[in-house]
Amino acid sequence: MIDGKYVIALDAMGGDNAPAAIVAGAVAALANPDVMLLLVGKDDVVSAELAKHSYDKSRIRLISAASVITNDDHPAAAIKGKKDSSMVVGMNLLKAKQAEAFVSAGSTGALLAGATLIVGRIKGIERPAIATVIPSVDRPFLLIDSGANVDCKPSYLYQFAVMGSVYMKSVLGVERPRVALANIGAEEEKGNALAKESYLLLSKSELNFVGNIEGNRIPLGEADVVVCDGFTGNVILKLFEGLSKALFGMVKAALSSSLSAKIGALLSMSALRGLKKKFDYADIGGAPFLGLKSLVVKAHGSSGQREITGAINQCVLFISADIVTRIEQLILASSGTDLGRV
Amino acid sequence: MIDGKYVIALDAMGGDNAPAAIVAGAVAALANPDVMLLLVGKDDVVSAELAKHSYDKSRIRLISAASVITNDDHPAAAIKGKKDSSMVVGMNLLKAKQAEAFVSAGSTGALLAGATLIVGRIKGIERPAIATVIPSVDRPFLLIDSGANVDCKPSYLYQFAVMGSVYMKSVLGVERPRVALANIGAEEEKGNALAKESYLLLSKSELNFVGNIEGNRIPLGEADVVVCDGFTGNVILKLFEGLSKALFGMVKAALSSSLSAKIGALLSMSALRGLKKKFDYADIGGAPFLGLKSLVVKAHGSSGQREITGAINQCVLFISADIVTRIEQLILASSGTDLGRV
């Protein structure tokens, strides 16, 4: 920390709307007086963007990075080859403890590769995972792993559950988070080989494990942490996003299909807007990679200003709750038991 | 076939609304003059239910079965132990060629076990799969496997794709069905080990393979056949069902949250009803198990009369298109090649 502030580095070049949305999101995040931001990117481009805003210049620092990793780059090769990219420079700030968190809306694969190669795993953590907060009919839940590890062992899923519980408790204030295993039946013996073994492991853990959760119950908010491998999780995450969008789009189209429907839509608009807002991810902002020595947050590729500000606010909560130390302690505590070794 | 009719057996005892909904669905299905139905179940119960309807008695025959397999029974054990159950008796009618299709809204696990143990696989088919037609923003698509095989090999997925293509072409009239692999990225190298190998297999096949499909694009109807293992498929199927229901429920609640919203809702009701109907599965009725020597159709556990009638109508299309022979020919044709052996 510099001057008692939260120092957060941002990839100014990553994402569909970079650098404009990143810079705007950074400026808006200064509303929190304890935030100090490092904008990593091409000098001229980022300076030009910053010049469009008026802000406290002592609280945003520009860190020069000459190149950019794109979605077309091979993730690991890009991290190893493009040492002067905004992503590599940003993660090196974490490694050097010059920043406590790094937010990027760039390539997920490259960010993951860099997170492992540069930032490094917490001792005892087998695989870092992407944790995404998803809205539900009730309150939001955390989906972990939502895409980092496509082939998993039961012990990974157990660690995902531990990390997800710490996150939900510390960042979202959920007491005794209910952990459920994404599965295809409610009963213990259901599922594929991975699910069956993971069930056993979770049920003998200290976690508040509430059993299996089937796809149709996931949107109801019956669990606070939904655990699965990154293949299943990524399918769930994207189907959630795509189906919500498709259905809201169809409701909108239906409501403009006739004159009476249009008038009806006008009258019911504020109620429908409230609903759409409930299913809006913008304020949540980004998905943290859990299991790393420092915080790396993946913002959606299409992030706008609000998402970036949301991701920065989330970093503050994460750092102030000292999630990394908590995960470290829990993993160390379980590593002497069967749970840590399976 | 008896007297040139389609002979379809029904499990009169399976599902939440049996026997009333099954019997009512059977009677309504007689609207098709070529249908001949065998109702399998407890004599007294089914007779009492039939007595409530007036129908052509020469076209519904009651086949006695003294017991019922429930969701609490262990699937394979129940099939082996309860020889006089409606499910076992019904599938034995298929085996003895006294019926050409069997529809049940009972336990999926037991139906699958019976399908393999009693009805048997088509020669060359490694694993039968559950194929479910799902509505999309555009036209419906087939999800295969939606729950039968939780751990799969690439060669299974290839066969699922072949069977799904035959079904979509023959039953739903889709020329050159577009086959896509459910995956977590658009590029060839994406996914878990199963997805990567299956991609290679599908891309060198004769199928109209259009590549990977991510979760967010599944609801858009960009593929006619979406192929995956039964674990992923079951999560997709149930999440689709649960999220659609949750979102429609929330729209409904929002529309009755204030007086102006209520008036608006009344005015836009017919438009919204049309949309809900588009996402209504009832007329589709059931999910066939593909890869068996005869047709077995799983109707939803909560099936009402419309779903059962829909499932019977689907059987007629299936039998008249001679799907089993078509699948047999295609699998035989590919068994001499790499594709059949992988």
Side-chain angles (χ1 to χ4, degrees):
Chain A
M1 279 202 264
I2 301 173
D3 306 330
K5 295 195 190 298
Y6 299 108
V7 185
I8 298 161
L10 299 171
D11 178 356
M13 313 304 290
D16 307 340
N17 306 313
I22 317 296
V23 171
V27 171
L30 295 181
N32 178 341
D34 295 328
V35 163
M36 163 84 200
L37 300 170
L38 307 178
L39 271 172
V40 188
K42 294 184 183 174
D43 275 341
D44 48 346
V45 180
V46 183
S47 302
E49 203 55 48
L50 274 168
K52 295 178 188 167
H53 300 268
S54 70
Y55 60 96
D56 177 351
K57 292 190 173 45
S58 70
R59 293 172 56 211
I60 296 189
R61 207 173 287 171
L62 175 53
I63 308 283
S64 183
S67 73
V68 178
I69 293 177
T70 72
N71 280 321
D72 298 329
D73 286 316
H74 181 278
I79 292 295
K80 285 172 192 158
K82 290 187 168 179
K83 298 286 182 205
D84 60 351
S85 63
S86 53
M87 220 181 247
V88 173
V89 172
M91 287 195 273
N92 275 324
L93 291 172
L94 283 189
K95 193 182 178 184
K97 303 224 177 282
Q98 293 180 288
E100 293 164 290
F102 178 62
V103 176
S104 174
S107 154
T108 308
L111 199 57
L112 257 177
T116 309
L117 293 170
I118 301 170
V119 183
R121 282 174 283 149
I122 291 174
K123 192 171 182 301
I125 289 289
E126 296 182 81
R127 293 287 185 281
I130 305 181
T132 311
V133 176
I134 297 182
S136 85
V137 169
D138 191 11
R139 54 190 184 182
F141 65 93
L142 190 76
L143 180 71
I144 181 168
D145 178 13
S146 58
N149 307 283
V150 292
D151 292 298
C152 285
K153 295 182 190 172
S155 56
Y156 302 179
L157 266 63
Y158 161 70
Q159 292 194 340
F160 299 166
V162 170
M163 298 192 292
S165 295
V166 169
Y167 185 87
M168 286 307 275
K169 187 174 176 189
S170 307
V171 176
L172 293 194
V174 179
E175 277 306 315
R176 296 268 304 145
R178 296 159 302 168
V179 174
L181 178 68
N183 207 337
I184 64 166
E187 306 83 0
E188 175 174 348
E189 72 279 7
K190 286 291 171 90
N192 54 16
L194 174 66
K196 284 179 198 168
E197 288 181 54
S198 302
Y199 187 102
L200 291 177
L201 215 47
L202 289 165
S203 59
K204 60 179 181 175
S205 75
E206 297 286 304
L207 298 164
N208 184 14
F209 180 55
V210 296
N212 291 327
I213 190 163
E214 293 180 82
N216 52 332
R217 310 203 71 84
I218 292 179
L220 304 180
E222 293 179 355
D224 302 302
V225 179
V226 173
V227 178
C228 56
D229 66 89
F231 187 89
T232 306
N234 195 265
V235 170
I236 292 175
L237 174 68
K238 287 180 179 160
L239 181 55
F240 222 102
E241 195 180 307
L243 189 55
S244 311
K245 202 173 156 189
L247 289 175
F248 280 125
M250 287 168 78
V251 167
K252 204 175 158 190
L255 290 178
S256 57
S257 61
S258 72
L259 184 61
S260 80
K262 272 182 199 162
I263 297 168
L266 278 175
L267 290 167
S268 46
M269 183 140 335
S270 86
L272 290 174
R273 271 218 199 97
L275 174 58
K276 196 150 186 261
K277 195 171 157 46
K278 186 168 182 174
F279 263 71
D280 187 354
Y281 296 58
D283 291 330
I284 296 169
F289 293 173
L290 298 182
L292 300 171
K293 283 183 192 156
S294 295
L295 176 60
V296 174
V297 172
K298 167 72 176 95
H300 202 290
S302 65
S303 289
Q305 174 264 313
R306 274 180 62 209
E307 285 79 0
I308 297 300
T309 305
I312 297 169
N313 291 335
Q314 205 191 6
C315 289
V316 171
L317 290 173
F318 192 100
I319 300 165
S320 60
D322 202 5
I323 307 270
V324 171
T325 308
R326 283 173 190 244
I327 290 176
E328 217 158 22
Q329 286 165 345
L330 274 168
I331 292 299
L332 273 178
S334 69
S335 70
T337 70
D338 277 351
L339 292 182
R341 275 188 274 110
V342 175
Chain B
M1 279 204 264
I2 302 173
D3 307 330
K5 294 197 190 299
Y6 299 107
V7 185
I8 297 161
L10 298 172
D11 178 356
M13 313 304 290
D16 307 339
N17 306 311
I22 318 296
V23 170
V27 170
L30 295 181
N32 178 343
D34 295 329
V35 163
M36 162 85 198
L37 299 171
L38 307 178
L39 270 173
V40 189
K42 294 184 183 174
D43 274 343
D44 48 348
V45 181
V46 183
S47 301
E49 202 56 46
L50 275 168
K52 295 177 188 167
H53 300 267
S54 70
Y55 61 96
D56 177 351
K57 294 193 170 42
S58 71
R59 294 172 56 211
I60 295 189
R61 207 173 287 170
L62 176 52
I63 308 285
S64 183
S67 74
V68 179
I69 293 177
T70 71
N71 279 323
D72 298 329
D73 287 316
H74 181 277
I79 291 296
K80 285 172 192 159
K82 290 188 168 178
K83 297 285 183 205
D84 60 351
S85 63
S86 54
M87 220 181 247
V88 172
V89 171
M91 287 196 271
N92 275 323
L93 290 172
L94 282 190
K95 192 181 179 185
K97 304 226 175 280
Q98 292 180 288
E100 294 165 290
F102 178 61
V103 176
S104 175
S107 153
T108 309
L111 199 58
L112 258 178
T116 309
L117 293 169
I118 302 170
V119 183
R121 280 174 285 149
I122 291 174
K123 190 170 184 298
I125 289 289
E126 296 181 79
R127 294 286 185 284
I130 304 181
T132 310
V133 176
I134 297 183
S136 85
V137 170
D138 191 13
R139 54 189 184 184
F141 66 92
L142 191 76
L143 180 71
I144 181 169
D145 177 12
S146 57
N149 308 282
V150 291
D151 292 297
C152 285
K153 294 181 190 171
S155 57
Y156 302 178
L157 265 64
Y158 162 70
Q159 292 194 340
F160 299 165
V162 169
M163 298 192 291
S165 295
V166 170
Y167 184 88
M168 285 307 275
K169 188 175 177 186
S170 306
V171 175
L172 294 193
V174 179
E175 278 304 317
R176 296 266 305 144
R178 296 159 302 168
V179 174
L181 178 68
N183 206 336
I184 64 166
E187 306 82 1
E188 175 174 346
E189 71 279 6
K190 284 293 170 90
N192 54 15
L194 174 66
K196 285 179 196 169
E197 287 181 54
S198 302
Y199 187 100
L200 292 177
L201 215 48
L202 289 165
S203 59
K204 60 181 182 175
S205 76
E206 297 286 304
L207 297 164
N208 184 14
F209 180 56
V210 296
N212 291 326
I213 189 163
E214 293 179 81
N216 53 332
R217 310 203 71 83
I218 292 178
L220 304 180
E222 293 179 354
D224 302 301
V225 179
V226 173
V227 178
C228 55
D229 67 89
F231 186 89
T232 306
N234 196 265
V235 170
I236 292 174
L237 174 67
K238 287 180 180 160
L239 182 57
F240 223 103
E241 198 180 305
L243 189 55
S244 311
K245 204 173 154 187
L247 289 175
F248 279 125
M250 288 168 77
V251 167
K252 206 176 157 189
L255 290 178
S256 57
S257 60
S258 72
L259 183 62
S260 79
K262 272 183 200 164
I263 298 169
L266 279 174
L267 289 167
S268 46
M269 182 140 335
S270 87
L272 290 174
R273 272 217 197 97
L275 173 59
K276 196 150 187 260
K277 196 171 155 49
K278 186 168 182 174
F279 264 73
D280 187 355
Y281 296 58
D283 291 328
I284 296 167
F289 293 174
L290 299 182
L292 301 171
K293 284 181 190 158
S294 295
L295 176 59
V296 174
V297 172
K298 167 72 176 92
H300 203 289
S302 65
S303 290
Q305 173 265 311
R306 274 180 63 208
E307 285 79 2
I308 297 299
T309 306
I312 297 170
N313 291 335
Q314 205 192 8
C315 290
V316 171
L317 289 173
F318 192 101
I319 300 165
S320 61
D322 202 4
I323 306 271
V324 171
T325 308
R326 282 173 190 245
I327 290 176
E328 217 157 24
Q329 286 165 345
L330 274 169
I331 293 298
L332 273 178
S334 68
S335 69
T337 70
D338 279 349
L339 292 183
R341 276 186 274 113
V342 175

